[in-house]
Amino acid sequence: MPTARAKRLVLTNLHVRRERMSLRRKIVSSAAALAIMGTALVAADNANTQIACDGTGDYLVFPVYAADENGNWKTNLKVVNTNTTHAVVAKVVIREHVNSAEKLDFPIFLSPGDVWEAELVAEGGKVYLNSTDDSMVVEGVPASTNPVHTPLFAPVAPQNNNYGYVEVYGVAAIKGENVVTGWKQNTPLDKVALYNKFKEDLDGKSNTADWEAVDADSIYGQEVIFASNQNGNLAMTLPALALEGVVGTAPVTTQVIGVNTDFNKMIATGDAATVLGNVAKLLAKSDIYATFYDDGNGNAAESKLVLTQPTKAYHGFDSTYYFQYNTTARDQEEHPNIKTTFFSGGQTKTLSISHESAWLNVETASYASGYTDYQITTNYLDPANADTGVPVPVIPVLMSAKNVNGTNVTNIVYPAYKKKD
Amino acid sequence: MNKILLILVLIFFFQGCDFKRDFKYVKISDNKKIKPRFEPLVKRYKEYWECMSKKDFDCSYRYEMPYQRFLHSLKWYKNFNTPNKKHYMIKLLDIKPVDKYTVVVKSAFVSADNKVNYMFHDRWYNVNNLWFHKMKVSILPFGENVE
């Protein structure tokens, strides 16, 4: 029978042992954290680029826009600065869908908690950017004073400005009071003052004292692709894909007003090629799953898969490079219908995609409802097919349209996919 | 004699109706001079869009390309078009020949409430001396009536 003293000793020993174990864990954890922090400090935060789970980031991609007179399609874009203490300068880049050719780029000047809004519309055979938002300051004049109605640069064959995608880079952030002395949170901040401050300090200059990097949670984007046409009033809303840890830990000092956008120059710290490679890896997919639905009459309702490859042009590939894929459509009883080729003019053709933002009618194999697996088989990054996974860095979006009780209902989502490292 | 006179009056009356068929929802641009070879096309264009604007899909279906009618049943066509707007105005702006048997027609759409106005292009094909419209089978973007 142990004495009370012996019991106390045992308990004390246990306590000490637990304390030691706990301390050892703490030491190990701290060492790991230090190692991680050390890495981050050396290689900057864009050594750990991630797709943002919360929708906010420092680099956004609106994976699709439509601005087409046929169908009267337009796209509304919004970029939000969620930071209520810091103003943010960001760069918007509009790229057409065939070759990712840059068609317009410009900075936007977001005060703390601000939203920038614009529309892409087609008129008379051209696509225009329209904005009356004061966050868009052109040569010192806000669009609220002088509305922006600017055509995209004309397409050169085979480019097509009616469709494409939009990138947004976080450029720099600054405390409101460093723009306007005495500025208080939750009050408007003069965008022209922000523009002037940016022109004075950055935009090809290195007066970074008042400036910071755009943090990983500052900006998000949302778009609405919409039309009012013969088929009704149609709209589809999609958040921009946000990545965090792309631009780096310092403000971008490269000139961003009036010059073409180069990925290398938009990365403030770290190695741009490594960051680009990391973004490509994060977007790499081997399978994309497109679900389709019965239209109520035993046919599949219309669905389209748009596959956007925002890194392809940065890697130096145009639309002469392609990736190949198979499709396996399955009905809801798992019956498969596999396609690797299609017929064209009596010849079989391999299924391939060359456009940098490609629009596909979802292959339903005459099933009314089910899903289709788009399996990537070869790609331009790996023409010899040396790896077996053959991932393609792609952002897929899935659109659908269905007659619901006499009204056309349209929808857009990010579909499921299989990741391939 | 009276019967003959009555028949002649009726023939005259119905002929007049045919020539002066009123198209409430289709117009030809004042600036557009129709070449004689496109008059049969314009006649069918007017008939087709009048039917579409009235949502008389039994009528408009007859003007769609024969091979597309083979692929898409009238039931499918009606289901596809039922949500369409009604009583919009279509104005023919231009006809651009692609080849002997194909034209692209540029038109304007004006909604019944006059709030929506846009231009669009659609294709017509001459099959056995009759012009047929290329059926619209897509609601989503990037699916309109031009190849």
Side-chain angles (χ1 to χ4, degrees), chain A residues 33-271:
Chain A
L34 278 171
I36 291 164
M37 282 173 66
T39 307
L41 286 171
V42 171
D45 78 335
N46 50 13
N48 188 28
T49 307
Q50 294 294 333
I51 292 175
C53 297
D54 56 6
T56 61
D58 54 16
Y59 171 67
L60 309 176
V61 181
F62 293 92
V64 58
Y65 76 76
D68 197 343
E69 284 178 286
N70 270 343
N72 199 25
W73 286 100
K74 301 169 185 175
T75 302
N76 175 285
L77 302 168
K78 281 181 195 277
V79 177
V80 179
N81 174 19
T82 64
N83 194 322
T84 56
T85 58
H86 286 63
V88 162
V89 178
K91 189 170 193 189
V92 179
V93 188
I94 300 169
R95 297 188 181 278
E96 58 81 43
H97 87 104
V98 175
N99 273 332
S100 293
E102 184 181 305
K103 289 293 144 184
L104 205 62
D105 67 349
F106 49 87
I108 52 175
F109 300 89
L110 299 159
S111 56
D114 191 19
V115 182
W116 170 74
E117 183 175 30
E119 277 184 9
L120 285 163
V121 299
E123 291 169 22
K126 291 181 181 175
V127 174
Y128 290 84
L129 179 87
N130 290 344
S131 182
T132 56
D133 194 304
D134 64 352
S135 303
M136 191 161 185
V137 183
V138 181
E139 293 177 352
V141 182
S144 52
T145 304
N146 191 6
V148 168
H149 179 63
T150 305
L152 304 193
F153 284 99
V156 178
Q159 298 166 2
N160 178 354
N161 285 3
N162 294 120
Y163 298 91
Y165 64 94
V166 178
E167 295 173 289
V168 180
Y169 290 89
V171 172
I174 186 169
K175 283 181 182 171
E177 55 266 36
N178 285 345
V179 179
V180 176
T181 309
W183 175 83
K184 293 276 187 295
Q185 194 174 4
N186 298 324
T187 59
L189 178 75
D190 183 3
K191 316 290 170 56
V192 176
L194 176 60
Y195 168 87
N196 289 333
K197 177 76 175 163
F198 177 72
K199 284 277 284 179
E200 281 168 23
D201 289 352
L202 299 179
D203 196 36
K205 302 169 193 143
S206 301
N207 306 320
T208 56
D210 290 339
W211 295 84
E212 300 167 38
V214 174
D215 70 36
D217 300 315
S218 275
I219 53 174
Y220 80 85
Q222 183 126 333
E223 64 176 321
V224 186
I225 302 165
F226 65 102
S228 181
N229 62 28
Q230 178 190 341
N231 299 116
N233 298 321
L234 313 165
M236 298 177 278
T237 304
L238 187 74
L241 186 82
L243 285 96
E244 49 193 33
V246 173
V247 294
T249 52
V252 174
T253 54
T254 309
Q255 186 183 352
V256 300
I257 299 177
V259 291
N260 281 349
T261 306
D262 184 340
F263 188 86
N264 297 337
K265 291 178 181 169
M266 299 308 296
I267 305 304
T269 57
D271 177 50

Side-chain angles (χ1 to χ4, degrees), chain B residues 71-106:
Chain B
L71 292 171
H72 300 285
S73 68
L74 178 59
K75 186 184 170 194
W76 179 92
Y77 185 76
K78 283 182 172 178
N79 181 61
F80 179 85
N81 285 296
T82 297
N84 282 8
K85 289 181 177 171
K86 199 173 184 182
H87 294 163
Y88 48 81
M89 179 67 71
I90 297 292
K91 192 172 186 180
L92 189 151
L93 302 174
D94 199 10
I95 301 170
K96 287 191 175 165
V98 175
D99 55 42
K100 195 177 172 184
Y101 302 104
T102 313
V103 296
V104 173
V105 182
K106 183 180 177 184

